Structure formats: structure tokens, C-alpha cells
Amino acid sequence: MSVGKKISFGKISTNFGQNATVVEATGGFGTFGPTPTKPIQIENLEDDNYEHQQMKEVMGIANFGKKAKSFDIKEMMAQVTKTAKEITRPAEAANSSDSSDEEDDDDLIGPPVPKSFEFGRGSTAASAPDSDSETETGEMPHFIPCERETIMTHGNKAITALSTDPSGARLASGSVDYDVSFWDFAGMDSSMRSFRTLQPCDNHPIRYLQYSSTGDLLLVVSGAAQAKVLDRDGFEQLETVKGDMYITDQAQTKGHTAGLLVGAWNPMVREDFVTTSSDGTARIWNINNSKNHAHIIKFRAQNGLKTSATACTYSRDGHTLACGCSDGSIQLWDLRKSVVAPVALNRKAHSPTDVTAVNYSHIGQHLVSRSCDETLKLWDIRKLKENVKVASGLYARYDTTDAIFSPNDKLVVTATSVANDKEFGQLLFYDSTSFDLVRSLNVAGTHVIKILWHTKLNQIFTGIGNGLIKCYYDEKRSMRGVTLCTAKLHRRVKHAEIVSTQQVITPHALPLFRQERRKTSRKQMEKDRLDPVKSHRPDLPITSGQGGRLASSGGTLSSYVIRNLGLSKRVDDDQDPREAILKYAKEAAENPYWIAPAYAKTQPTTILEGTSEEEPASKKSKPG
């Protein structure tokens, strides 16, 4: 090694170089131990890089392994702080200069922050989008899925009940024609036919239908005193007991004593449901014990007489039962306490007429009610003494006319019937805050009764007075439901004209009994068509009259008897039988063969020839 060659040890600190020594090359093995020499000078980083570059050129190796990644905690914290400041900065400050945007883009890590997030955090209201227009995230506060519509035919009478299961796979419809139809969207095609129709309550109109919270049971409330629970396929699972109508105290009876009005499932307890009746009570049932009700609620009017709950619904938590009564009152009952008296009451919520619908909002403390007094009212359950908003002039022909909240609680939807001054039944959409009419939709030239806005499907189902179910949906924002079956074409099943019997193949049969193997079904069909037995060819007309069959002129008994006797001579059926017999009278008298020899001994003289045609003396009229 030459003395002039400088030795370096990579990136070693200079502290190590202070104690380093240089071993000089001498003869033999040299010297050992520390020798006072000049200290090794550590080269700069440039020399180190130069040496690595030379080594790459000589050996052809790019590098000698990966370098350890170093982290600077202070630099990282400063970068995170800077990024957080940029996110929280208002949108207009971010767009102040082009140069600052370029520097921020270099410092930011990850995708850019959405503008909607900046709108939510911004301090200025001018940067937020208009409430009536579509936002950057694609949401509209008053979006109504009514771009397309389709019709399902239930019957020819009014639809008074509609319900879908929570998943939106099936729909059940009930009508005043006593029928309940089941619709499976995944199994239907464009013909829109229900897969099952039945009459679960005999000759009683269907007033209310509702699927349970799990979707496996369907509550059927009809005009009878007994409610029924069906499974998803329509088979009966439960029937409530009927009470004794001769007992005055309704609490002492096991069931309702009059026709039912409405019912509802408990959203939290799968086994519990409630039914109301014209007997002035609401009874809570459990599916595990249908022989007796679990609880009973008695409704009283202001004068102390009983009144009936014509509409009821559970709150979202299942703790409160809201009821609209026939006297126009709204009563709230807390099921966690004793049901002797309601926890909230408004006697004059509506005019003294039937309340057709009562529904809670999805989120919040609001309640909407619809009545036959042509009003729609919005209530705050914390202050039930006075309504929040009211809309009037809404004619309702049926006592089951609906009023619901939209899935986002931004709208209140109700239905109207056809009044004298209108031509269409409508769906009316009101803003839940200001109660302004957002949109009116003409559904049909008849009454609109039931409304169902499914949250997951984002589709609106309406029950109409002419037996039709009209569904409104949007192609982009509605999922599944009727969108699955509108695109499916209805295919006709092709039936074969002749159903041939199954062919038995006998491979080792004798040539005499071997059957010819048909090549195609078309040739076999043509061959069977020529066979009079397989094609059921009718009998051909005959003219000879042989073989026990009658000719076209052989329609009398005499011609049939003559042909059976083997006579081939044709008998003229148009000839008078008396004249035909008298032809042989002379021959029979001269040459008797049949009758005369038989009576020759016993009756040689014919009796008929000697009888007189005079009447007996008893029948002669007496001389006057």
C-alpha cells in the first residue's frame, strides 16, 4: 500500500479519527503496537461519494444494500401542524394566491379535502350551496323519487293496506275485496303479478297490514274481532281470541268484542303487537300466548264515555304508544308505566271525527296526524297542547288515509281523495319545518289512500281507490324493489302439440321387435300426425252402413234394426211406415207365414173383425 493513498471509513464520526494510527509497511512482518504516526484525516462526504462512484464503475454494482431510513420527529410534527392549519383555513383564504396553492400542494399528504367538508367547517355562509339546489355530495333536502312510475294490479276495489318488509324484498297489499296479495320483487317480471293471493279473514275487509321488525311475520287487521298473524308465504301462524260480548267490563274479557280498526308491531320487542277495536280498547298481545291479551288500554272521551282508537303507532324506541281516537283526540300512553291514564293528551287535536293516521318522525320529537276533518297537523310531543303547523283543505274519503314522514324527516307526505272540484287524487309533499307545499303529484283520477316510502329502496308505493298500486322510483337513486322486475321480459311457456310417450330402448331385441330410433322430434311429430289413433282423427262419414255403424241417412230405429238383421237393402226413411206395411197385406192374406199360423188353432176367427164400433150402452147419452 502506498503511503500517499488516503484511507476513509465511510460515515464515521471524527472522534474516532483522533485516536487512529497508520501502520507503515516495513520488511518482514513490520511492527506491532501503537507507533507515533500522523493522525488519519477523515475525508469529506464528497470524497466518500467519489470512492463509491469508482467502486460502481469497477464492479458494476449499483449499491451495497438499502440505507436505513431516518426520521426527524420535529420535522414531521411541523408538517402535521402545517397540514392541519391548511385544512381548517377557509376556502377563500386558500385561493388567495397561486403561489401559495403550489406550496400547499407540495406539503399536503394524501388526497385533497372535499369541498363539502370545507363548507361544513368554513366560517362564511356564502361558500355553502343553496338549500334548494343539489349539493356537491349529491344530496337534496327535498329529493322525491318520482322520475319513473309503474303499476301493479291488485284487483278492482280500493287498496286500504300496504306494507313492506324491512329489507324491501316483499310487499303485501290488502283491499276491501277481502284479499291479501303478496309481491316478491326478485321473482316478478315486467307483468307485475303477485305470487299469492288469499282471503285470510273470510268476508271481512282488510284494514291494516304490517310486517314485523324482522320481516318474518305479517300482522293482518280486518273488520273481524280477531287479528291474524301470517308468515312470509301467507300461511297462518296465530289468531287472537275473541272476547265475550256479554261482559260489560272489557278488562275481564280475553279479547276484542267488536271489529278491529288498526294494529302495529312493537319495533323493539319482536313478539309484541297491539290492536285497537270499536269496543273502545287497545290490547297488547304476545305471539307466545294468543289465548289472552297481555295488557289492555281503555279510551275515554271528554264526557266519560268510551271512544275508539282509529289510528295508532309505536314510537321508535317502543316505549310510547300514540293513538288518534274517533273523538278527534290524540293520546300518548307510556307502556313502561301503568296504563290507567295517558301521559299526554289533547282532546281538541282535531274535530270530533276519525283520525285516519298518526306517525312519529324518524329522528326527533315530532308527530304528524291526519283526520277526516280535511286537516294535516304537525305536533311536538313535548308540548302536545298546541300544534306546530297545520294544513287544511285536504279531503279524505277513506278513514285509512295516510300521512307519513320522508326517510330524512325533511318532508311530510299525505294523500288526498277526489273532491267535487278536483279531478285527481294527489300526493302532497310539505316541508316539515315551514310546512310549505313543496310539490303536488297527480296520481290517478280516483282516491289515493295509502302511502309507503321505503327507506332502503327509496321508492314510494301508493294504494289507489281503483285497486291499483302505483310505485314511484328514480333510476339513479332507487335500489332494488320494482327496479329488479321492470327490466325482466315476460316469456311465454311454449307447449308442445303432441306429448310423445317415453321411448324404451332395447339394444339386444330381435329385429322383428326392434324399434326404429327416431332422429328428431319433428319427424316423430309428423309421423304421429298421420296415425289416426295418436292424432285422434274423427270418424269419417260412411255411405254403405256396414260394420255396425249407421250411414248418414240411418237415423231412425227401424233402419238401425234392419241393418242389424243383416239386410243390405237400403230402407227409405222418408217413407210412411203404414204404407210400407200395407204393401204386403195382400201377400200376407194369401200366403200367411208369421201371424196366421200361430193363431190358427186357438183363434181361427179374428176377433177384431167381429167387433162393432158402436159405443156401449153405459156410455150412450140418455134421451132427453
PDB file of all heavy atoms in Angstrom, residues 202-234:
ATOM      1  N   ASP A 202    -111.725 -14.392   5.769  1.00  0.00           N
ATOM      2  CA  ASP A 202    -113.022 -14.695   5.145  1.00  0.00           C
ATOM      3  C   ASP A 202    -113.610 -13.433   4.509  1.00  0.00           C
ATOM      4  O   ASP A 202    -112.938 -12.769   3.736  1.00  0.00           O
ATOM      5  CB  ASP A 202    -113.969 -15.316   6.179  1.00  0.00           C
ATOM      6  CG  ASP A 202    -113.423 -16.640   6.711  1.00  0.00           C
ATOM      7  OD1 ASP A 202    -112.688 -17.300   5.959  1.00  0.00           O
ATOM      8  OD2 ASP A 202    -113.729 -16.993   7.855  1.00  0.00           O
ATOM      9  N   ASN A 203    -114.840 -13.109   4.837  1.00  0.00           N
ATOM     10  CA  ASN A 203    -115.526 -11.985   4.194  1.00  0.00           C
ATOM     11  C   ASN A 203    -115.448 -10.713   5.042  1.00  0.00           C
ATOM     12  O   ASN A 203    -116.454 -10.082   5.341  1.00  0.00           O
ATOM     13  CB  ASN A 203    -116.991 -12.348   3.930  1.00  0.00           C
ATOM     14  CG  ASN A 203    -117.120 -13.488   2.946  1.00  0.00           C
ATOM     15  OD1 ASN A 203    -116.270 -13.665   2.084  1.00  0.00           O
ATOM     16  ND2 ASN A 203    -118.172 -14.269   3.082  1.00  0.00           N
ATOM     17  N   HIS A 204    -114.235 -10.334   5.407  1.00  0.00           N
ATOM     18  CA  HIS A 204    -114.017  -9.101   6.164  1.00  0.00           C
ATOM     19  C   HIS A 204    -112.996  -8.256   5.419  1.00  0.00           C
ATOM     20  O   HIS A 204    -111.946  -8.759   4.988  1.00  0.00           O
ATOM     21  CB  HIS A 204    -113.506  -9.401   7.585  1.00  0.00           C
ATOM     22  CG  HIS A 204    -114.516 -10.100   8.447  1.00  0.00           C
ATOM     23  ND1 HIS A 204    -115.554  -9.433   9.047  1.00  0.00           N
ATOM     24  CD2 HIS A 204    -114.644 -11.401   8.799  1.00  0.00           C
ATOM     25  CE1 HIS A 204    -116.290 -10.297   9.741  1.00  0.00           C
ATOM     26  NE2 HIS A 204    -115.749 -11.495   9.601  1.00  0.00           N
ATOM     27  N   PRO A 205    -113.261  -6.966   5.249  1.00  0.00           N
ATOM     28  CA  PRO A 205    -112.298  -6.104   4.546  1.00  0.00           C
ATOM     29  C   PRO A 205    -111.011  -5.950   5.343  1.00  0.00           C
ATOM     30  O   PRO A 205    -111.014  -5.923   6.572  1.00  0.00           O
ATOM     31  CB  PRO A 205    -113.046  -4.775   4.407  1.00  0.00           C
ATOM     32  CG  PRO A 205    -114.056  -4.790   5.505  1.00  0.00           C
ATOM     33  CD  PRO A 205    -114.471  -6.225   5.687  1.00  0.00           C
ATOM     34  N   ILE A 206    -109.905  -5.843   4.623  1.00  0.00           N
ATOM     35  CA  ILE A 206    -108.589  -5.692   5.255  1.00  0.00           C
ATOM     36  C   ILE A 206    -108.371  -4.216   5.565  1.00  0.00           C
ATOM     37  O   ILE A 206    -108.451  -3.354   4.687  1.00  0.00           O
ATOM     38  CB  ILE A 206    -107.477  -6.224   4.329  1.00  0.00           C
ATOM     39  CG1 ILE A 206    -107.803  -7.659   3.888  1.00  0.00           C
ATOM     40  CG2 ILE A 206    -106.140  -6.170   5.038  1.00  0.00           C
ATOM     41  CD1 ILE A 206    -107.947  -8.646   5.004  1.00  0.00           C
ATOM     42  N   ARG A 207    -108.081  -3.923   6.817  1.00  0.00           N
ATOM     43  CA  ARG A 207    -107.911  -2.539   7.259  1.00  0.00           C
ATOM     44  C   ARG A 207    -106.446  -2.167   7.482  1.00  0.00           C
ATOM     45  O   ARG A 207    -106.072  -1.010   7.310  1.00  0.00           O
ATOM     46  CB  ARG A 207    -108.688  -2.292   8.547  1.00  0.00           C
ATOM     47  CG  ARG A 207    -110.199  -2.362   8.385  1.00  0.00           C
ATOM     48  CD  ARG A 207    -110.886  -1.910   9.675  1.00  0.00           C
ATOM     49  NE  ARG A 207    -110.458  -0.597  10.074  1.00  0.00           N
ATOM     50  CZ  ARG A 207    -111.044   0.533   9.676  1.00  0.00           C
ATOM     51  NH1 ARG A 207    -112.071   0.493   8.847  1.00  0.00           N
ATOM     52  NH2 ARG A 207    -110.597   1.709  10.089  1.00  0.00           N
ATOM     53  N   TYR A 208    -105.624  -3.119   7.842  1.00  0.00           N
ATOM     54  CA  TYR A 208    -104.235  -2.757   8.173  1.00  0.00           C
ATOM     55  C   TYR A 208    -103.344  -3.980   7.994  1.00  0.00           C
ATOM     56  O   TYR A 208    -103.728  -5.106   8.348  1.00  0.00           O
ATOM     57  CB  TYR A 208    -104.130  -2.237   9.604  1.00  0.00           C
ATOM     58  CG  TYR A 208    -102.798  -1.617   9.939  1.00  0.00           C
ATOM     59  CD1 TYR A 208    -102.508  -0.307   9.559  1.00  0.00           C
ATOM     60  CD2 TYR A 208    -101.813  -2.333  10.606  1.00  0.00           C
ATOM     61  CE1 TYR A 208    -101.286   0.270   9.860  1.00  0.00           C
ATOM     62  CE2 TYR A 208    -100.591  -1.763  10.915  1.00  0.00           C
ATOM     63  CZ  TYR A 208    -100.338  -0.467  10.533  1.00  0.00           C
ATOM     64  OH  TYR A 208     -99.128   0.105  10.826  1.00  0.00           O
ATOM     65  N   LEU A 209    -102.148  -3.757   7.439  1.00  0.00           N
ATOM     66  CA  LEU A 209    -101.117  -4.782   7.289  1.00  0.00           C
ATOM     67  C   LEU A 209     -99.786  -4.197   7.741  1.00  0.00           C
ATOM     68  O   LEU A 209     -99.493  -3.030   7.465  1.00  0.00           O
ATOM     69  CB  LEU A 209    -100.993  -5.251   5.831  1.00  0.00           C
ATOM     70  CG  LEU A 209    -102.183  -5.960   5.192  1.00  0.00           C
ATOM     71  CD1 LEU A 209    -101.911  -6.200   3.719  1.00  0.00           C
ATOM     72  CD2 LEU A 209    -102.472  -7.280   5.893  1.00  0.00           C
ATOM     73  N   GLN A 210     -98.990  -5.009   8.418  1.00  0.00           N
ATOM     74  CA  GLN A 210     -97.656  -4.561   8.806  1.00  0.00           C
ATOM     75  C   GLN A 210     -96.755  -5.762   9.039  1.00  0.00           C
ATOM     76  O   GLN A 210     -97.144  -6.721   9.722  1.00  0.00           O
ATOM     77  CB  GLN A 210     -97.686  -3.685  10.060  1.00  0.00           C
ATOM     78  CG  GLN A 210     -96.327  -3.058  10.379  1.00  0.00           C
ATOM     79  CD  GLN A 210     -96.356  -2.207  11.627  1.00  0.00           C
ATOM     80  OE1 GLN A 210     -97.258  -2.303  12.435  1.00  0.00           O
ATOM     81  NE2 GLN A 210     -95.350  -1.361  11.789  1.00  0.00           N
ATOM     82  N   TYR A 211     -95.555  -5.707   8.445  1.00  0.00           N
ATOM     83  CA  TYR A 211     -94.536  -6.718   8.709  1.00  0.00           C
ATOM     84  C   TYR A 211     -93.861  -6.430  10.043  1.00  0.00           C
ATOM     85  O   TYR A 211     -93.743  -5.272  10.458  1.00  0.00           O
ATOM     86  CB  TYR A 211     -93.487  -6.718   7.598  1.00  0.00           C
ATOM     87  CG  TYR A 211     -93.875  -7.535   6.383  1.00  0.00           C
ATOM     88  CD1 TYR A 211     -94.448  -6.938   5.273  1.00  0.00           C
ATOM     89  CD2 TYR A 211     -93.660  -8.910   6.346  1.00  0.00           C
ATOM     90  CE1 TYR A 211     -94.793  -7.673   4.156  1.00  0.00           C
ATOM     91  CE2 TYR A 211     -93.999  -9.649   5.244  1.00  0.00           C
ATOM     92  CZ  TYR A 211     -94.566  -9.035   4.147  1.00  0.00           C
ATOM     93  OH  TYR A 211     -94.915  -9.784   3.053  1.00  0.00           O
ATOM     94  N   SER A 212     -93.398  -7.486  10.693  1.00  0.00           N
ATOM     95  CA  SER A 212     -92.698  -7.328  11.959  1.00  0.00           C
ATOM     96  C   SER A 212     -91.311  -6.730  11.716  1.00  0.00           C
ATOM     97  O   SER A 212     -90.861  -6.572  10.577  1.00  0.00           O
ATOM     98  CB  SER A 212     -92.572  -8.687  12.665  1.00  0.00           C
ATOM     99  OG  SER A 212     -91.830  -9.590  11.870  1.00  0.00           O
ATOM    100  N   SER A 213     -90.623  -6.402  12.798  1.00  0.00           N
ATOM    101  CA  SER A 213     -89.303  -5.762  12.683  1.00  0.00           C
ATOM    102  C   SER A 213     -88.274  -6.681  12.047  1.00  0.00           C
ATOM    103  O   SER A 213     -87.301  -6.210  11.468  1.00  0.00           O
ATOM    104  CB  SER A 213     -88.816  -5.320  14.066  1.00  0.00           C
ATOM    105  OG  SER A 213     -88.766  -6.441  14.944  1.00  0.00           O
ATOM    106  N   THR A 214     -88.485  -7.996  12.129  1.00  0.00           N
ATOM    107  CA  THR A 214     -87.579  -8.948  11.494  1.00  0.00           C
ATOM    108  C   THR A 214     -88.045  -9.372  10.106  1.00  0.00           C
ATOM    109  O   THR A 214     -87.298 -10.002   9.376  1.00  0.00           O
ATOM    110  CB  THR A 214     -87.433 -10.199  12.379  1.00  0.00           C
ATOM    111  OG1 THR A 214     -88.738 -10.739  12.656  1.00  0.00           O
ATOM    112  CG2 THR A 214     -86.756  -9.841  13.680  1.00  0.00           C
ATOM    113  N   GLY A 215     -89.281  -9.044   9.731  1.00  0.00           N
ATOM    114  CA  GLY A 215     -89.772  -9.334   8.396  1.00  0.00           C
ATOM    115  C   GLY A 215     -90.276 -10.741   8.183  1.00  0.00           C
ATOM    116  O   GLY A 215     -90.635 -11.096   7.052  1.00  0.00           O
ATOM    117  N   ASP A 216     -90.348 -11.571   9.226  1.00  0.00           N
ATOM    118  CA  ASP A 216     -90.791 -12.953   9.047  1.00  0.00           C
ATOM    119  C   ASP A 216     -92.271 -13.148   9.352  1.00  0.00           C
ATOM    120  O   ASP A 216     -92.818 -14.217   9.064  1.00  0.00           O
ATOM    121  CB  ASP A 216     -89.968 -13.893   9.933  1.00  0.00           C
ATOM    122  CG  ASP A 216     -90.046 -13.513  11.410  1.00  0.00           C
ATOM    123  OD1 ASP A 216     -90.420 -12.357  11.693  1.00  0.00           O
ATOM    124  OD2 ASP A 216     -89.739 -14.361  12.267  1.00  0.00           O
ATOM    125  N   LEU A 217     -92.944 -12.150   9.927  1.00  0.00           N
ATOM    126  CA  LEU A 217     -94.357 -12.269  10.271  1.00  0.00           C
ATOM    127  C   LEU A 217     -95.114 -11.055   9.733  1.00  0.00           C
ATOM    128  O   LEU A 217     -94.550  -9.953   9.626  1.00  0.00           O
ATOM    129  CB  LEU A 217     -94.548 -12.372  11.791  1.00  0.00           C
ATOM    130  CG  LEU A 217     -93.925 -13.591  12.482  1.00  0.00           C
ATOM    131  CD1 LEU A 217     -94.097 -13.496  13.990  1.00  0.00           C
ATOM    132  CD2 LEU A 217     -94.524 -14.887  11.958  1.00  0.00           C
ATOM    133  N   LEU A 218     -96.381 -11.283   9.409  1.00  0.00           N
ATOM    134  CA  LEU A 218     -97.243 -10.225   8.877  1.00  0.00           C
ATOM    135  C   LEU A 218     -98.506 -10.151   9.720  1.00  0.00           C
ATOM    136  O   LEU A 218     -99.216 -11.150   9.877  1.00  0.00           O
ATOM    137  CB  LEU A 218     -97.599 -10.503   7.420  1.00  0.00           C
ATOM    138  CG  LEU A 218     -98.566  -9.515   6.762  1.00  0.00           C
ATOM    139  CD1 LEU A 218     -97.911  -8.145   6.636  1.00  0.00           C
ATOM    140  CD2 LEU A 218     -99.018 -10.017   5.405  1.00  0.00           C
ATOM    141  N   LEU A 219     -98.783  -8.965  10.274  1.00  0.00           N
ATOM    142  CA  LEU A 219     -99.989  -8.736  11.066  1.00  0.00           C
ATOM    143  C   LEU A 219    -101.117  -8.310  10.127  1.00  0.00           C
ATOM    144  O   LEU A 219    -100.963  -7.369   9.345  1.00  0.00           O
ATOM    145  CB  LEU A 219     -99.728  -7.662  12.122  1.00  0.00           C
ATOM    146  CG  LEU A 219    -100.935  -7.212  12.949  1.00  0.00           C
ATOM    147  CD1 LEU A 219    -101.501  -8.359  13.768  1.00  0.00           C
ATOM    148  CD2 LEU A 219    -100.556  -6.041  13.858  1.00  0.00           C
ATOM    149  N   VAL A 220    -102.249  -9.000  10.226  1.00  0.00           N
ATOM    150  CA  VAL A 220    -103.417  -8.729   9.387  1.00  0.00           C
ATOM    151  C   VAL A 220    -104.548  -8.280  10.301  1.00  0.00           C
ATOM    152  O   VAL A 220    -105.003  -9.049  11.163  1.00  0.00           O
ATOM    153  CB  VAL A 220    -103.836  -9.965   8.571  1.00  0.00           C
ATOM    154  CG1 VAL A 220    -105.043  -9.638   7.702  1.00  0.00           C
ATOM    155  CG2 VAL A 220    -102.683 -10.455   7.719  1.00  0.00           C
ATOM    156  N   VAL A 221    -105.010  -7.050  10.125  1.00  0.00           N
ATOM    157  CA  VAL A 221    -106.114  -6.488  10.890  1.00  0.00           C
ATOM    158  C   VAL A 221    -107.265  -6.260   9.927  1.00  0.00           C
ATOM    159  O   VAL A 221    -107.140  -5.507   8.959  1.00  0.00           O
ATOM    160  CB  VAL A 221    -105.708  -5.180  11.585  1.00  0.00           C
ATOM    161  CG1 VAL A 221    -106.899  -4.570  12.293  1.00  0.00           C
ATOM    162  CG2 VAL A 221    -104.572  -5.426  12.565  1.00  0.00           C
ATOM    163  N   SER A 222    -108.395  -6.917  10.208  1.00  0.00           N
ATOM    164  CA  SER A 222    -109.559  -6.824   9.330  1.00  0.00           C
ATOM    165  C   SER A 222    -110.749  -6.291  10.119  1.00  0.00           C
ATOM    166  O   SER A 222    -110.626  -5.883  11.275  1.00  0.00           O
ATOM    167  CB  SER A 222    -109.881  -8.203   8.739  1.00  0.00           C
ATOM    168  OG  SER A 222    -110.277  -9.094   9.768  1.00  0.00           O
ATOM    169  N   GLY A 223    -111.902  -6.324   9.480  1.00  0.00           N
ATOM    170  CA  GLY A 223    -113.109  -5.879  10.156  1.00  0.00           C
ATOM    171  C   GLY A 223    -113.628  -6.862  11.175  1.00  0.00           C
ATOM    172  O   GLY A 223    -114.593  -6.552  11.889  1.00  0.00           O
ATOM    173  N   ALA A 224    -113.031  -8.025  11.284  1.00  0.00           N
ATOM    174  CA  ALA A 224    -113.436  -9.010  12.285  1.00  0.00           C
ATOM    175  C   ALA A 224    -112.870  -8.632  13.646  1.00  0.00           C
ATOM    176  O   ALA A 224    -112.052  -7.719  13.786  1.00  0.00           O
ATOM    177  CB  ALA A 224    -112.966 -10.405  11.881  1.00  0.00           C
ATOM    178  N   ALA A 225    -113.293  -9.351  14.674  1.00  0.00           N
ATOM    179  CA  ALA A 225    -112.840  -9.083  16.036  1.00  0.00           C
ATOM    180  C   ALA A 225    -111.542  -9.796  16.367  1.00  0.00           C
ATOM    181  O   ALA A 225    -111.013  -9.610  17.463  1.00  0.00           O
ATOM    182  CB  ALA A 225    -113.920  -9.484  17.039  1.00  0.00           C
ATOM    183  N   GLN A 226    -111.028 -10.601  15.437  1.00  0.00           N
ATOM    184  CA  GLN A 226    -109.825 -11.382  15.679  1.00  0.00           C
ATOM    185  C   GLN A 226    -108.762 -11.010  14.656  1.00  0.00           C
ATOM    186  O   GLN A 226    -109.026 -11.020  13.445  1.00  0.00           O
ATOM    187  CB  GLN A 226    -110.127 -12.888  15.602  1.00  0.00           C
ATOM    188  CG  GLN A 226    -111.117 -13.360  16.668  1.00  0.00           C
ATOM    189  CD  GLN A 226    -111.572 -14.783  16.423  1.00  0.00           C
ATOM    190  OE1 GLN A 226    -112.497 -15.041  15.665  1.00  0.00           O
ATOM    191  NE2 GLN A 226    -110.900 -15.725  17.071  1.00  0.00           N
ATOM    192  N   ALA A 227    -107.569 -10.712  15.150  1.00  0.00           N
ATOM    193  CA  ALA A 227    -106.432 -10.422  14.276  1.00  0.00           C
ATOM    194  C   ALA A 227    -105.684 -11.712  13.978  1.00  0.00           C
ATOM    195  O   ALA A 227    -105.728 -12.677  14.755  1.00  0.00           O
ATOM    196  CB  ALA A 227    -105.499  -9.410  14.930  1.00  0.00           C
ATOM    197  N   LYS A 228    -105.010 -11.732  12.848  1.00  0.00           N
ATOM    198  CA  LYS A 228    -104.247 -12.909  12.443  1.00  0.00           C
ATOM    199  C   LYS A 228    -102.816 -12.517  12.136  1.00  0.00           C
ATOM    200  O   LYS A 228    -102.532 -11.393  11.706  1.00  0.00           O
ATOM    201  CB  LYS A 228    -104.877 -13.576  11.224  1.00  0.00           C
ATOM    202  CG  LYS A 228    -106.207 -14.259  11.527  1.00  0.00           C
ATOM    203  CD  LYS A 228    -106.676 -15.099  10.365  1.00  0.00           C
ATOM    204  CE  LYS A 228    -107.966 -15.830  10.718  1.00  0.00           C
ATOM    205  NZ  LYS A 228    -108.426 -16.715   9.624  1.00  0.00           N
ATOM    206  N   VAL A 229    -101.924 -13.475  12.352  1.00  0.00           N
ATOM    207  CA  VAL A 229    -100.504 -13.314  12.051  1.00  0.00           C
ATOM    208  C   VAL A 229    -100.122 -14.386  11.043  1.00  0.00           C
ATOM    209  O   VAL A 229    -100.322 -15.577  11.293  1.00  0.00           O
ATOM    210  CB  VAL A 229     -99.639 -13.418  13.326  1.00  0.00           C
ATOM    211  CG1 VAL A 229     -98.159 -13.328  12.973  1.00  0.00           C
ATOM    212  CG2 VAL A 229    -100.011 -12.334  14.322  1.00  0.00           C
ATOM    213  N   LEU A 230     -99.595 -13.967   9.902  1.00  0.00           N
ATOM    214  CA  LEU A 230     -99.188 -14.867   8.831  1.00  0.00           C
ATOM    215  C   LEU A 230     -97.672 -14.845   8.704  1.00  0.00           C
ATOM    216  O   LEU A 230     -97.007 -13.892   9.108  1.00  0.00           O
ATOM    217  CB  LEU A 230     -99.818 -14.462   7.495  1.00  0.00           C
ATOM    218  CG  LEU A 230    -101.334 -14.218   7.484  1.00  0.00           C
ATOM    219  CD1 LEU A 230    -101.765 -13.811   6.083  1.00  0.00           C
ATOM    220  CD2 LEU A 230    -102.102 -15.445   7.942  1.00  0.00           C
ATOM    221  N   ASP A 231     -97.129 -15.905   8.104  1.00  0.00           N
ATOM    222  CA  ASP A 231     -95.705 -15.905   7.805  1.00  0.00           C
ATOM    223  C   ASP A 231     -95.462 -15.245   6.456  1.00  0.00           C
ATOM    224  O   ASP A 231     -96.370 -14.703   5.830  1.00  0.00           O
ATOM    225  CB  ASP A 231     -95.144 -17.331   7.842  1.00  0.00           C
ATOM    226  CG  ASP A 231     -95.806 -18.236   6.807  1.00  0.00           C
ATOM    227  OD1 ASP A 231     -96.682 -17.753   6.061  1.00  0.00           O
ATOM    228  OD2 ASP A 231     -95.462 -19.424   6.755  1.00  0.00           O
ATOM    229  N   ARG A 232     -94.239 -15.302   5.965  1.00  0.00           N
ATOM    230  CA  ARG A 232     -93.893 -14.593   4.732  1.00  0.00           C
ATOM    231  C   ARG A 232     -94.607 -15.159   3.513  1.00  0.00           C
ATOM    232  O   ARG A 232     -94.827 -14.448   2.529  1.00  0.00           O
ATOM    233  CB  ARG A 232     -92.378 -14.668   4.506  1.00  0.00           C
ATOM    234  CG  ARG A 232     -91.596 -13.795   5.451  1.00  0.00           C
ATOM    235  CD  ARG A 232     -90.110 -13.952   5.211  1.00  0.00           C
ATOM    236  NE  ARG A 232     -89.728 -13.613   3.856  1.00  0.00           N
ATOM    237  CZ  ARG A 232     -89.444 -12.384   3.446  1.00  0.00           C
ATOM    238  NH1 ARG A 232     -89.529 -11.378   4.292  1.00  0.00           N
ATOM    239  NH2 ARG A 232     -89.092 -12.151   2.206  1.00  0.00           N
ATOM    240  N   ASP A 233     -94.986 -16.427   3.571  1.00  0.00           N
ATOM    241  CA  ASP A 233     -95.641 -17.056   2.428  1.00  0.00           C
ATOM    242  C   ASP A 233     -97.154 -17.047   2.538  1.00  0.00           C
ATOM    243  O   ASP A 233     -97.835 -17.607   1.674  1.00  0.00           O
ATOM    244  CB  ASP A 233     -95.148 -18.497   2.279  1.00  0.00           C
ATOM    245  CG  ASP A 233     -93.670 -18.550   1.946  1.00  0.00           C
ATOM    246  OD1 ASP A 233     -93.203 -17.639   1.243  1.00  0.00           O
ATOM    247  OD2 ASP A 233     -92.984 -19.480   2.402  1.00  0.00           O
ATOM    248  N   GLY A 234     -97.711 -16.461   3.603  1.00  0.00           N
ATOM    249  CA  GLY A 234     -99.151 -16.335   3.730  1.00  0.00           C
ATOM    250  C   GLY A 234     -99.827 -17.420   4.537  1.00  0.00           C
ATOM    251  O   GLY A 234    -101.065 -17.472   4.562  1.00  0.00           O
TER     252      GLY A 234
END
